[in-house]
Amino acid sequence: MCHCAVYVCSSSVRQERGRGDVRHCSHVIREVGSAAHSLRSQKKQKMAQFEEVSQKSKLHPKPEGLTLQYGTAGFRTHAKHLDHIMFRMGLLATLRSKKTKSTIGVMVTASHNPEEDNGVKLIDPMGEMVTVVWEGYATQLANAEQDSLLKELKDIIEKEDIDMSEPASVYIGKDTRPSSASLSQAVLDGVSSLGGKTHDYGLVTTPQLHYMVCCCNTHGSYGSPTTEGYYQKLSQAFLQLTQNVPNRTDDQKRLLVDGANGIGALKMREMEPFLRSELQVVLSNDGSSGKLNHMCGADYVKVQQKAPQGMNMGVGERCCSFDGDADRIVYYYTDSKGCFHLLDGDKIATLISTYLKELLTQAGLNLQIAVVQTAYANGSSTRYLEDVMKVAVCCTKTGVKHLHHAAQEYDIGVYFEANGHGTVLFSKAAQKQIQELVKDSNTNDEKKHAVKLLESTVNLINQTVGDAISDMLVIEAVLAIRGMSVQDWDAIYTDLPNRQLKVTVSDRRVIDTTDAERKAVTPEGLQDTIDSLVKKYKNARSFVRPSGTEDVVRVYAEADTHESADSLAHEVSLAVYRLAGGVGDKPKPLH
Ligand code: NG1
Ligand code: ZN
């Protein structure tokens, strides 16, 4: 209001002067006077706002000396250290909202971390992660000691030239951790102390909150910003994709889902009626008794390469696991010999990109499709995609924001981390071409069928971020349409045996990397040692990097046999321990 009044006044002052009409002088003075008054009251309001921030921040004090970094996926640590971070992220989200004149999201979750941890991620207007510069502000604000919080806040306002009289709107969501309720209250306090409006969605998956933010800022064109709107959009697309698949048996419709004892389980239950038995979900680890992410969930299954506890799997049955905030998914089954088969993010990317490429050919659409991976992608997947599928493959640093940005460069960018976090991005131009072809009355039946499938697939995919529920429905639809079993899918290529280990060092920042994290630049001698160890094995590859979410160095190795992959991973762990300041016990051999 205030802002508008000043604007109108000053423009009318300009007009009056332009005409040189002296009769209006007193009016001009009155206007200028009221503009000055308005500025004064704005200033007063601003000071009152800062006073409120100062008062309220005392209720969310920062433990002196504690410093945290906005890492790969926001702030993440033991929940007891996070109250002040949440309040401050409420402040920052409000500033970001004023700056972008859009709704911003704040999700309280620590994803796949243990239940005692928690964390927070900010969501930008189109549902993407916040920019690197604002990640820097997040760290700056998070680490300001209590008495310099206002100074840091004002510094950001100044640097970004934020108009504090702009309204602000922040959407908030949380996962099922016991600490999430009070931590999300701290976010709400932060937003309200700067006069921002909030919408608290309560318990939602991370990708659901990304979806809500995108719906709001696109004024409903992406969908309706409610959980019901989300279920309706996705289920309609899924039903459209599967409606013409002949003779789907109950076995084919049945899927065992491990909900990681988290939010994904609750939301899957809510969604079930919308799917009208076209997908029959058998849910385990639904949160009714077990602990979040404990011996279950996508991260456990991927890293341990075994089935979660609490799941009653029959031989050959198709199963999947979500992670704690349902933005990751992996599939698996056990064969008749009791052997466990994992279908991770690389297999998902291969299945989806192959399907999309086929549809593009059938529809006669000339759109460029690429797959974006990280260094953790299994070497076999990269080889298959490049040599057999002939799709462009691009490798980025770990962390979905890097993959997301790289995927935006293509007409269709399929991106997945090996751990099962990923989605597909369709450029505006690609979506337009698909929509136009759907409406084109001159297309033949085969083309029409293919392009309609493409259209429904676009609607089924959550393009804002990796989404376990949406990815699961895409995979189920693709398997149904192509008449594939999980075994057929698994047989597309064979993974190279691989192993991931962690090494604790006194300061993981001593490791610096290059070439999409595939080479260590520091400490000196580490990369040479890794290179010479790799040479001892067949089809081998190994790299190390500091984790962005845990205080460890991650070691990855792959080779022609399980024994070789394990042994190489162990030898590289020893090198890290020796050259990068290992602490505690020396890494022990796996066998
Ligand atoms: P860090 O801790 O930086 O390795 C892990 C995953 C990432 C990403 C983030 C966020 C691996 C090896 N790393 O990051 O891919 O998903 O967590 O959840 O899986
Ligand atoms: Zn997650």
Side-chain angles (χ1 to χ4, degrees):
M1 274 299 284
C2 272
H3 177 63
C4 280
V6 172
Y7 180 75
V8 170
C9 273
S10 55
S11 74
S12 76
V13 168
R14 266 200 309 274
Q15 276 171 19
E16 306 282 359
R17 280 189 186 144
R19 278 192 232 122
D21 191 336
V22 282
R23 279 174 307 160
H24 289 279
C25 262
S26 62
H27 173 67
V28 171
I29 291 164
R30 264 204 313 276
E31 293 284 355
V32 171
S34 87
H37 170 79
S38 177
L39 271 173
R40 267 200 308 278
S41 73
Q42 250 187 59
K43 210 168 166 192
K44 250 188 185 164
Q45 208 182 356
K46 223 191 259 177
M47 275 166 66
Q49 227 169 31
F50 287 136
E51 183 50 31
E52 187 164 354
V53 171
S54 175
Q55 288 307 320
K56 283 231 182 112
S57 75
K58 290 183 188 139
L59 302 173
H60 304 279
K62 173 182 177 294
E64 219 168 296
L66 176 72
T67 57
L68 294 168
Q69 201 78 20
Y70 195 97
T72 323
F75 292 103
R76 215 178 272 191
T77 186
H78 196 289
K80 69 180 180 203
H81 298 311
L82 283 168
D83 184 64
H84 69 294
I85 298 279
M86 297 294 167
F87 176 77
R88 293 163 183 215
M89 288 310 103
L91 299 177
L92 191 68
T94 313
L95 296 189
R96 183 78 183 141
S97 171
K98 286 175 188 284
K99 169 79 191 181
T100 57
K101 300 186 176 53
S102 308
T103 290
I104 295 295
V106 181
M107 181 71 195
V108 175
T109 180
S111 183
H112 58 276
N113 284 38
E115 192 169 83
E116 310 72 66
D117 284 1
N118 216 322
V120 59
K121 321 186 220 196
L122 298 190
I123 304 168
D124 246 11
M126 287 305 126
E128 340 80 299
M129 314 272 168
V130 283
T131 61
V132 177
V133 174
W134 280 73
E135 283 184 4
Y137 296 149
T139 304
Q140 175 183 347
L141 216 50
N143 295 329
E145 291 306 334
Q146 201 65 27
D147 53 7
S148 55
L149 178 61
L150 282 188
K151 187 180 137 285
E152 299 298 346
L153 199 65
K154 287 177 186 166
D155 179 59
I156 299 168
I157 294 169
E158 210 166 279
K159 271 190 193 138
E160 289 292 325
D161 193 19
I162 295 169
D163 178 355
M164 291 303 284
S165 64
E166 280 290 336
S169 152
V170 179
Y171 282 3
I172 297 167
K174 59 171 182 266
D175 72 12
T176 56
R177 284 161 209 271
S179 59
S180 289
S182 72
L183 291 176
S184 73
Q185 186 55 51
V187 178
L188 289 163
D189 278 3
V191 179
S192 69
S193 73
L194 268 181
K197 282 214 169 66
T198 52
H199 184 124
D200 184 3
Y201 279 93
L203 293 168
V204 281
T205 69
T206 295
Q208 281 178 332
L209 191 67
H210 283 254
Y211 163 88
M212 307 296 179
V213 170
C214 183
C215 288
C216 172
N217 291 319
T218 53
H219 311 291
S221 70
Y222 193 67
S224 134
T226 58
T227 40
E228 173 137 355
Y230 171 92
Y231 299 137
Q232 249 152 13
K233 180 177 176 183
L234 266 57
S235 58
Q236 263 169 27
F238 178 74
L239 295 173
Q240 256 156 23
L241 281 170
T242 50
Q243 70 188 356
N244 294 322
V245 177
N247 314 322
R248 271 179 83 213
T249 63
D250 276 352
D251 268 359
Q252 286 162 339
K253 292 180 185 173
R254 190 176 134 95
L255 174 68
L256 275 62
V257 178
D258 155 28
N261 288 317
I263 184 67
L266 300 187
K267 297 297 147 179
M268 208 47 243
R269 279 242 192 290
E270 275 178 22
M271 189 174 192
E272 261 185 298
F274 291 81
L275 295 167
R276 297 201 216 120
S277 306
E278 281 305 311
L279 184 68
Q280 291 156 21
V281 167
V282 183
L283 200 56
S284 56
N285 298 320
D286 63 356
S288 53
S289 54
K291 207 173 166 183
L292 177 73
N293 295 331
H294 181 65
M295 316 280 269
C296 62
D299 197 60
Y300 173 85
V301 173
K302 165 76 182 157
V303 177
Q304 303 298 323
Q305 303 186 23
K306 58 179 170 202
Q309 275 192 359
M311 192 179 236
N312 205 354
M313 302 163 63
V315 171
E317 269 193 303
R318 201 166 69 254
C319 309
C320 67
S321 284
F322 297 173
D323 76 336
D325 60 341
D327 61 358
R328 288 194 199 175
I329 186 167
V330 292
Y331 270 68
Y332 44 91
Y333 68 95
T334 24
D335 64 23
S336 55
K337 293 185 195 123
C339 192
F340 178 77
H341 294 253
L342 176 72
L343 294 98
D344 62 3
D346 305 334
K347 290 246 162 158
I348 297 173
T350 307
L351 180 76
I352 296 178
S353 56
T354 311
Y355 158 79
L356 289 173
K357 199 170 176 218
E358 252 179 43
L359 286 184
L360 289 177
T361 311
Q362 283 166 18
L365 281 167
N366 184 20
L367 295 170
Q368 197 201 5
I369 181 165
V371 175
V372 184
Q373 306 185 313
T374 71
Y376 290 99
N378 195 279
S380 290
S381 74
T382 317
R383 252 192 304 281
Y384 177 82
L385 286 164
E386 282 178 338
D387 300 349
V388 183
M389 282 303 302
K390 311 271 184 229
V391 295
V393 180
C394 146
C395 183
T396 71
K397 282 163 77 172
T398 304
V400 278
K401 64 180 176 223
H402 301 296
L403 290 103
H404 192 93
H405 286 146
Q408 282 171 329
E409 299 296 311
Y410 303 92
D411 295 326
I412 301 178
V414 180
Y415 75 81
F416 272 88
E417 292 191 306
N419 61 32
H421 188 135
T423 186
V424 185
L425 304 184
F426 296 85
S427 70
K428 279 216 173 77
Q431 295 191 46
K432 195 160 164 248
Q433 279 194 44
I434 292 170
Q435 280 155 10
E436 276 168 5
L437 198 57
V438 168
K439 287 191 216 120
D440 188 345
S441 49
N442 293 324
T443 44
N444 65 35
D445 285 354
E446 194 206 347
K447 274 190 178 178
K448 186 128 256 164
H449 178 67
V451 79
K452 277 194 166 160
L453 287 180
L454 271 172
E455 187 189 37
S456 299
T457 309
V458 174
N459 288 333
L460 184 52
I461 287 168
N462 185 343
Q463 292 193 57
T464 64
V465 77
D467 181 337
I469 294 180
S470 152
D471 290 340
M472 174 191 80
L473 294 173
V474 173
I475 293 163
E476 290 301 307
V478 173
L479 291 177
I481 292 164
R482 304 186 85 206
M484 285 169 82
S485 66
V486 68
Q487 290 77 13
D488 298 334
W489 171 22
D490 193 29
I492 295 181
Y493 66 83
T494 308
D495 269 327
L496 276 171
N498 59 89
R499 178 63 63 193
Q500 248 193 69
L501 295 175
K502 302 177 194 181
V503 182
T504 310
V505 296
S506 58
D507 180 2
R508 67 194 200 276
R509 288 171 304 179
V510 298
I511 296 191
D512 196 11
T513 63
T514 182
D515 186 22
E517 301 173 319
R518 290 173 288 196
K519 287 205 156 35
V521 182
T522 60
E524 221 189 305
L526 179 59
Q527 189 56 47
D528 290 342
T529 312
I530 296 174
D531 289 343
S532 59
L533 291 170
V534 166
K535 278 197 194 118
K536 290 168 50 184
Y537 300 89
K538 226 176 129 192
N539 292 339
R541 185 170 73 92
S542 179
F543 66 92
V544 301
R545 56 173 278 280
S547 158
T549 61
E550 284 176 69
D551 194 7
V552 294
V553 174
R554 293 198 196 284
V555 172
Y556 177 87
E558 65 184 33
D560 61 337
T561 66
H562 285 289
E563 291 68 31
S564 298
D566 286 354
S567 156
L568 175 59
H570 174 244
E571 288 191 277
V572 173
S573 299
L574 284 176
V576 169
Y577 184 87
R578 188 165 50 85
L579 297 167
V583 294
D585 292 341
K586 242 187 179 170
K588 292 191 181 60
L590 286 132
H591 303 286

